[in-house]
Amino acid sequence: MNCLACLAAILLWTRCQSKESTKETEAKLPNIVVIYMDDLGYGELSAYGATELQTPNMDRLANEGMKFTNAYASSATCTPSRYALLTGVYPWRNENAKILPGTAPLLIDVDQMTIPKMLKTKGYHTSIVGKWHLGLGDGNVDWNQKVSPGPNEVGFDYSYIMAATQDRVPTVYIENGHVVGLEKDDPILVDYENNFEGEPTGKDNPELLKMMWHHGHNNSIVNGIPRIGFMKGGENAKWIDEDMADEFLGKAQDYIRGRKNESAPFFLVLCFSTTSCTENTAPQIRWSFRNGT
């Protein structure tokens, strides 16, 4: 009788422990990584049926996770689709949600609900790395001071971005509102209407180019590439285009590793400006995600 009573007590205790363990597992929120890419078509990944292109690394991410096979684009262009992703608002309801110029003010109202804001209410730490192109500040930015409002003011705890697009000035990285590598004695000046005296342009100085200008990309030259808009100064802060994919990848990996010993789940939006780098960086993101947390 005593043995039966002990056995019953053990079974009851085990069952309670199992329930508590299940509740604890269910309560633990997953980390979320969104890899956002310009110009990626539905059929360009072999996981989704592409035959001309093979993307085994992206396929592995898809096959080990969840595939969505019925989806609709909010927009076929950059700024509107990003606005829709972060806010959940159909972009054409906002007349300003169009491809923004480099001097555009922040498109998302700081009081507007966003995905990172929503996740923060659930205890998430939030971050964005890569292309932003949703406007910054009030449209009259002093790049030598903290640039605000921006990603941090609409829900991201950490941000490491480029302001607009790779073909526009300023050609610098911005971390939590501050231009990375900026030197006080070499301030940045940006103008989308007029060039600065003595500064070469793609149109007037083709001998300095490694890529010929086209479609208005004929203004200031950075790394031998003519840009949209004019920029002076900030030489130490200027990015190197060929290193951009690795730069953003490295920052994303650093962020994931940095959250390894944190109890709060994280939300990371990784935005590449082109799709060409993604197949090579996918296995490294996967490794960081698996080993960093």
Side-chain angles (χ1 to χ4, degrees):
M1 192 68 160
N2 289 337
C3 290
L4 289 175
C6 288
L7 180 59
I10 292 171
L11 289 174
L12 181 61
W13 180 84
T14 303
R15 185 176 180 184
C16 289
Q17 289 296 106
S18 178
K19 285 185 176 180
E20 289 299 317
S21 177
T22 300
K23 287 181 180 179
E24 184 179 342
T25 301
E26 290 176 349
K28 186 175 181 180
L29 296 172
N31 297 318
I32 303 171
V33 177
V34 176
I35 303 177
Y36 197 93
M37 294 165 278
D38 279 5
D39 306 318
L40 180 70
Y42 179 91
E44 292 184 40
L45 301 179
S46 45
Y48 284 87
T51 55
E52 297 298 319
L53 298 174
Q54 296 299 311
T55 54
N57 293 315
M58 291 300 292
D59 294 352
R60 188 170 183 181
L61 282 177
N63 294 330
E64 291 182 0
M66 181 182 293
K67 291 171 61 178
F68 295 90
T69 57
N70 187 15
Y72 301 86
S74 59
S75 173
T77 52
C78 178
T79 300
S81 60
R82 294 167 189 272
Y83 175 81
L85 172 69
L86 292 181
T87 66
V89 176
Y90 189 56
W92 307 116
R93 295 184 182 276
N94 183 340
E95 63 180 9
N96 295 316
K98 52 192 174 184
I99 300 177
L100 295 181
T103 55
L106 181 64
L107 178 62
I108 301 173
D109 191 282
V110 294
D111 295 323
Q112 190 170 353
M113 180 53 71
T114 62
I115 287 180
K117 281 185 180 180
M118 178 187 69
L119 289 174
K120 281 169 69 67
T121 66
K122 301 299 182 182
Y124 275 80
H125 191 275
T126 59
S127 63
I128 183 167
V129 174
K131 180 179 176 180
W132 177 242
H133 205 190
L134 286 164
L136 291 170
D138 61 2
N140 186 26
V141 173
D142 180 353
W143 303 99
N144 306 290
Q145 304 295 326
K146 183 176 181 180
V147 179
S148 177
N152 300 95
E153 286 70 35
V154 297
F156 289 105
D157 294 306
Y158 174 77
S159 65
Y160 190 93
I161 62 169
M162 62 173 171
T165 58
Q166 197 167 350
D167 57 357
R168 285 176 169 84
V169 297
T171 52
V172 296
Y173 299 117
I174 303 170
E175 186 172 32
N176 291 329
H178 298 280
V179 173
V180 177
L182 181 63
E183 298 174 323
K184 291 184 178 180
D185 59 353
D186 188 22
I188 294 174
L189 299 175
V190 172
D191 194 312
Y192 271 78
E193 299 296 330
N194 302 295
N195 191 20
F196 300 98
E197 185 176 355
E199 292 296 307
T201 67
K203 186 175 182 179
D204 296 332
N205 304 93
E207 73 281 1
L208 300 178
L209 303 180
K210 62 183 180 183
M211 177 185 293
M212 289 304 296
W213 63 269
H214 64 96
H215 301 302
H217 299 71
N218 58 4
N219 300 149
S220 287
I221 303 170
V222 180
N223 302 324
I225 301 172
R227 314 287 169 158
I228 300 173
F230 303 98
M231 175 180 175
K232 181 179 180 179
E235 291 301 320
N236 191 57
K238 291 178 180 178
W239 66 50
I240 298 173
D241 296 80
E242 293 86 347
D243 295 340
M244 181 175 285
D246 291 332
E247 180 74 16
F248 287 149
L249 171 64
K251 289 299 176 182
Q253 288 179 309
D254 289 344
Y255 175 77
I256 292 173
R257 290 168 180 151
R259 302 302 302 171
K260 180 178 181 179
N261 297 318
E262 301 294 333
S263 58
F266 68 79
F267 172 61
L268 167 65
V269 181
L270 176 58
C271 301
F272 289 110
S273 61
T274 62
T275 61
S276 60
C277 62
T278 312
E279 172 60 16
N280 292 327
T281 56
Q284 298 179 65
I285 283 292
R286 178 180 176 275
W287 185 91
S288 297
F289 190 78
R290 286 289 179 83
N291 293 278
T293 59

